[in-house]
Amino acid sequence: MPTTNNIVLRPRFKIEIEKNNETVLKAFETAKTTESEFIITRLDDHVFIKFPKHKQHFWSPQLHLEINEVDKNTSLLYGLFSPNPTVWTMFMFFHFIVAGLFIAFGIWAYTNWSLKSSYAIQVSLMLLMVIIWIALYFAGSIGKASSKNDMHLLNDFMTKILKTVV
């Protein structure tokens, strides 16, 4: 699960499996009935693995697996570690709001500059938006760092299930 790029907020990986995708998906279905440490949900070729509510915290990750059939004996597993979708949506909303305000303040500053009025307040607000954007980025990075152990647990569980298939 190593990532070569430290800027990645949602690490991805790909694994080729020498089994049919239905066999792999059934292994996760079977694990769902016996597993109490993780919640496993399957939807078509997608498997979601997350922690139970009592073990979750704000930054708890989940593992999304997509298992696609390549041919009758081979499948490709695409994995994505991400925060809770609600948390991810909230962060993206904040990023879009900050970007929108930055553009709006930029237009306001340009208008005042064109009218030969003072535009120091608008430029200051633009700089504030840049600082807020950087703070949001670091908050996401801190959240990812605080959930690395959880990501390893999810990865180890996935590996354990895949070993039963292969």
Side-chain angles (χ1 to χ4, degrees), residues 103-158:
I103 291 168
F105 293 141
I107 292 169
W108 189 15
Y110 175 73
T111 303
N112 281 3
W113 175 78
S114 296
L115 296 172
K116 304 213 186 314
S117 296
S118 173
Y119 53 89
I121 292 173
Q122 293 82 6
V123 172
S124 300
L125 290 171
M126 289 174 66
L127 288 174
L128 177 65
M129 292 302 111
V130 170
I131 291 168
I132 291 172
W133 179 80
I134 291 169
L136 284 172
Y137 173 78
F138 282 115
S141 296
I142 290 167
K144 177 186 158 196
S146 71
S147 64
K148 273 198 177 171
N149 289 337
D150 291 342
M151 289 170 62
H152 284 290
L153 291 172
L154 290 167
N155 188 59
D156 293 345
F157 175 72
M158 177 202 67

Side-chain angles (χ1 to χ4, degrees), residues 60 102 137:
S60 287
F102 179 85
Y137 173 78

Side-chain angles (χ1 to χ4, degrees), residues 60-125:
S60 287
Q62 71 174 19
L63 177 57
H64 172 207
L65 304 173
E66 183 178 354
I67 304 164
N68 296 327
E69 181 179 14
V70 175
D71 57 39
K72 295 245 185 226
N73 299 320
T74 310
S75 57
L76 268 177
L77 181 145
Y78 296 93
L80 169 67
F81 289 99
S82 65
N84 180 317
T86 306
V87 172
W88 183 253
T89 303
M90 179 191 67
F91 265 89
M92 289 299 98
F93 175 75
F94 288 156
H95 278 280
F96 286 123
I97 290 296
V98 168
L101 288 173
F102 179 85
I103 291 168
F105 293 141
I107 292 169
W108 189 15
Y110 175 73
T111 303
N112 281 3
W113 175 78
S114 296
L115 296 172
K116 304 213 186 314
S117 296
S118 173
Y119 53 89
I121 292 173
Q122 293 82 6
V123 172
S124 300
L125 290 171

